Amino acid sequence: GYDPAAETYWGTIRLDGTPDTSPRTGSLAAFPTGHIDFWQPNVIDREFPAEAAQAYANAFAKTGDPGMRTAADRWAGVIRDTMVEKETLDVSIYAGYSEQWAPLGTYAEHYARTIDFFLTMFTETGEDHYLFSARDLAKDAVSSLYYEGLFRGHPNKPYYEELDGVPLLLEALLHLDAHEAEFRKFADFDGDSDVDLDDYQALIGAWGQETAPYAGGDVTGDGLVDLRD
């Protein structure tokens, strides 16, 4: 269930269709009450939010149902709003994780599933902002997990576990790499079919200006090319 006031999803829905808004304290510390904990680090009590986002994206891809598109876009908002800090609920079962480790990155599987989610939405809609979000998550994954030629499962793990999802991340990165042509198109500001220093100069020349003819640089869609892009 979606909470429009908080712009996020509930972690648990009762059989009567109402959300369980109980606080995650005491005996409920390990239960998904209240709002979804998207970047949750604990496997035992995972809420599978990334899988839920993928399910809606795939349902939209299969059916074209606008309701599935709406739900998927809501998940996109949840991911984008939390993907920088990756804060988690600081409950007793993993108290302190948010403050100490969440800012350093997350599990490979979290990155993989969210990248896949945005790539699915880009494929189905052709809207560039989904592809840019997939790219941003991939850059974060590489900077957080790549170490001496290998991908770790988590920034704080010196060992591999299957549940970390490294193979899923590698697959997602390969799928993203298949879109290289689109990224080159976005960066070709001077239209000469080559991405080089001239494109950088063209972008700088449009800094703070209305984007035409540099519309490809307006990633945020606010009508300007600036640092937010």
Side-chain angles (χ1 to χ4, degrees), residues 20-41:
D20 187 340
T21 60
S22 305
R24 300 190 189 197
T25 58
S27 61
L28 292 178
F31 288 86
T33 56
H35 291 122
I36 200 77
D37 192 6
F38 194 92
W39 303 102
Q40 185 180 33

Side-chain angles (χ1 to χ4, degrees), residues 172-187:
L173 293 177
L174 286 173
H175 290 166
L176 180 63
D177 185 65
H179 295 279
E180 180 185 3
E182 282 94 342
F183 287 116
R184 292 184 65 82
K185 176 189 68 177
F186 299 144

